[in-house]
Amino acid sequence: MNSETIVNLIKDWRGALLLVLVIGSLVGIYLAPPNPEKGLEGNLQFGLDLEGGSWLQMEFQSVVVTYSTSGSVEDLIDNLQTDLETDVTQIDADHLEIRKGVSRAELEPIFAASDASIVAYQKGVSQPTADDVKRILNEKVNALGMQDARINLLTPTGSEYPQYVRIELAGVDMATAQEIVGKQGMFEIRIQTTGNATEHVIYGDQITSVGVPQKDPRNQDWSVAFSLTDAGAQAFQKAAIEHGAVNNPESHFLVMLLDNETVYSAPLNQKLAAELRSGPVRSLSASTGLGDAGLEDAMELEIHLRAGALPVDVEVVGSGSVPAALGEQFKTVVLLAGVLALLAVGVMVYLRYREPTIVIPMLAVNVSEIIILLGIARFIQQLDLASIAGLIAVVGTGIDQLVIITDEVLHEGRVPSPSLYMKRYARALGIIAASVATVVIAMFPLALMDLSTLRGFAIITILGAMVGILVTRPAYGKIIMAILSK
């Protein structure tokens, strides 16, 4: 192609879109921000398969029970909490979450004594509890500056309740991974005395329970309720009286710290100050504000009040690690496999057409598609072995579709008229669109499921199919038209 043809292709919206996306992807990978230390890797995120690291799979020590009762649900919950010494929460009218790994045989006598019976029994936790666990683990990982982490909830087939959580930490050894999961932070509540000075009141071990964020129906404020031990409530009352907070609450802030970092600060409530004058108060509530911002702050405060502890115990049932040296070796092998796949495809296409002016644009469009996919993955997806397999699959299916377009528009090796070309090109795109729809429908369930070994493959495959039908196939159609017209 001469320079005039190239200019015309760039001016066409299909060629211009392809060029802009390729340049934007390269900027995202290498220049936003610049990362010269990683060389060709740029800003791409690699999973532990290629980076090295550790993974833990943990089982929730909790069960969900479907029940029926002729008595009081409150009495049933109280009996369960007393006999099992654990938290019990009501999911809905027919389901209880018992946050302890107990068998059905252990539960039946307690239910029978409360005029209730067990209808169904499943291991696992409710979805809100599972979401809390994932949120707390994310908070821990982010607080330590570990961005290359993947946390997935796993639900066994036939169950509606998550039973496992899997955490993958690229570049982290096994001992550190276990410490991240099990470590609780140092939580402290202090009270403002004079000026900016504060005085210690209680530590996190004096907090007995933490509620979920609730919205006040009167003023629409979000808040988090929590309870103190008797000793904690007495220490809180003593500090409030001693420093004058009960008389002038607006001038005395309560400051909450996690690992010496302030996570909440607000003046003492007038109503609470009045209650503290007459005696200790065990049940407290921290207000975080209105709207989505207030809800987000309340959710974070709930985690901090728990001092990073998970709402339900977990037991490690599986673990593994990939040494960093082995991860680097995998990267080399994967890169070699990708290059060989591209070369093999190029050879087969050349043997079919015997025409470099067709083969080179095909490979160039295929490479540009991979660059665009990597540019998107840089923001949304870690690259593990499954994702790389998806990229290699995109190379093969992409060339297949370009061959369909080329074969359709050629007739016995001759160039068709422009009107006939457009008809055949439209027919080829129709065939490809049906193929893309099939791929997306087949991969979509895998992309939504928390199966970490397959999800990356599904996401990359779907993205490849969409980028192909929306960007690279139309661009190739314009390019091959220009080539055939010569």
Side-chain angles (χ1 to χ4, degrees), residues 160-208:
E160 58 181 304
Y161 301 107
Q163 188 176 342
Y164 304 94
V165 58
R166 178 184 170 102
I167 177 170
E168 299 179 1
L169 297 168
V172 176
D173 59 76
M174 182 61 69
T176 305
Q178 291 177 335
E179 182 182 356
I180 290 170
V181 174
K183 180 183 177 183
Q184 277 191 257
M186 180 68 173
F187 187 82
E188 181 185 13
I189 296 180
R190 301 177 70 88
I191 191 167
Q192 184 180 1
T193 54
T194 57
N196 292 324
T198 60
E199 190 75 24
H200 167 76
V201 180
I202 58 171
Y203 287 113
D205 58 359
Q206 298 296 321
I207 298 175
T208 58

Side-chain angles (χ1 to χ4, degrees), residues 319-390:
S319 62
S321 61
V322 178
L326 187 58
E328 288 295 327
Q329 183 179 341
F330 283 161
K331 284 182 189 176
T332 304
V333 172
V334 162
L335 180 61
L336 182 61
V339 172
L340 289 177
L342 199 59
L343 289 176
V345 165
V347 169
M348 295 305 296
V349 171
Y350 179 77
L351 291 176
R352 180 177 181 83
Y353 296 107
R354 305 283 181 172
E355 180 55 62
T357 55
I358 293 179
V359 176
I360 293 174
M362 268 193 186
L363 295 181
V365 167
N366 216 225
V367 169
S368 68
E369 188 171 334
I370 298 302
I371 293 172
I372 293 171
L373 285 177
L374 290 175
I376 297 173
R378 173 254 187 276
F379 295 100
I380 67 169
Q381 176 71 32
Q382 283 187 354
L383 295 176
D384 52 16
L385 291 179
S387 302
I388 298 298

Side-chain angles (χ1 to χ4, degrees), residues 96-175:
L96 293 177
E97 179 184 83
I98 302 171
R99 294 178 174 178
K100 189 173 185 179
V102 289
S103 66
R104 181 167 182 161
E106 293 174 287
L107 291 175
E108 284 177 339
I110 305 174
F111 274 78
S114 304
D115 296 324
S117 61
I118 298 175
V119 178
Y121 167 97
Q122 290 185 2
K123 292 184 178 181
V125 295
S126 63
Q127 193 60 49
T129 300
D131 292 339
D132 281 345
V133 169
K134 188 171 183 177
R135 187 157 42 87
I136 290 168
L137 289 174
N138 269 319
E139 188 82 14
K140 284 185 174 185
V141 169
N142 291 334
L144 294 171
M146 297 177 183
Q147 302 299 324
D148 293 339
R150 181 184 293 173
I151 300 168
N152 292 306
L153 301 169
L154 306 178
T155 304
T157 303
S159 174
E160 58 181 304
Y161 301 107
Q163 188 176 342
Y164 304 94
V165 58
R166 178 184 170 102
I167 177 170
E168 299 179 1
L169 297 168
V172 176
D173 59 76
M174 182 61 69

Side-chain angles (χ1 to χ4, degrees), residues 9-20 471 474-475 478-479:
L9 286 174
I10 295 175
K11 286 182 178 180
D12 184 85
W13 70 268
R14 289 159 288 195
L17 178 61
L18 177 63
L19 185 62
V20 167
V471 181
K478 185 66 178 177
I479 292 170

Side-chain angles (χ1 to χ4, degrees), residues 67 73-74 77 88-97 126:
Y67 70 96
V73 177
E74 290 74 16
I77 293 175
V88 178
T89 60
Q90 187 170 8
I91 302 172
D92 54 39
D94 303 314
H95 296 85
L96 293 177
E97 179 184 83
S126 63

Side-chain angles (χ1 to χ4, degrees), residues 211-344:
V212 297
Q214 298 284 345
K215 182 188 284 189
D216 190 319
R218 294 168 300 174
N219 57 23
Q220 301 299 303
D221 264 0
W222 285 98
S223 62
V224 180
F226 59 100
S227 300
L228 304 178
T229 62
D230 289 335
Q234 290 170 7
F236 184 58
Q237 183 200 22
K238 179 183 176 182
I241 294 174
E242 182 180 334
H243 299 293
V246 293
N247 298 319
N248 187 13
E250 293 295 329
S251 299
H252 294 273
F253 278 56
L254 282 183
V255 182
M256 301 181 185
L257 301 98
L258 182 64
D259 294 333
N260 294 320
E261 294 287 335
T262 300
V263 296
Y264 180 83
S265 179
L268 197 68
N269 181 271
Q270 292 276 2
K271 182 181 177 182
L272 176 59
E275 292 176 353
L276 288 170
R277 289 194 194 99
S278 57
V281 178
R282 288 194 58 191
S283 299
L284 305 174
S285 180
S287 177
T288 57
L290 301 169
D292 293 339
L295 173 59
E296 186 175 340
D297 289 343
M299 293 169 70
E300 289 185 8
L301 181 59
E302 178 197 353
I303 295 172
H304 298 322
L305 285 167
R306 298 181 189 277
L310 301 179
V312 60
D313 289 337
V314 293
E315 180 180 325
V316 177
V317 294
S319 62
S321 61
V322 178
L326 187 58
E328 288 295 327
Q329 183 179 341
F330 283 161
K331 284 182 189 176
T332 304
V333 172
V334 162
L335 180 61
L336 182 61
V339 172
L340 289 177
L342 199 59
L343 289 176

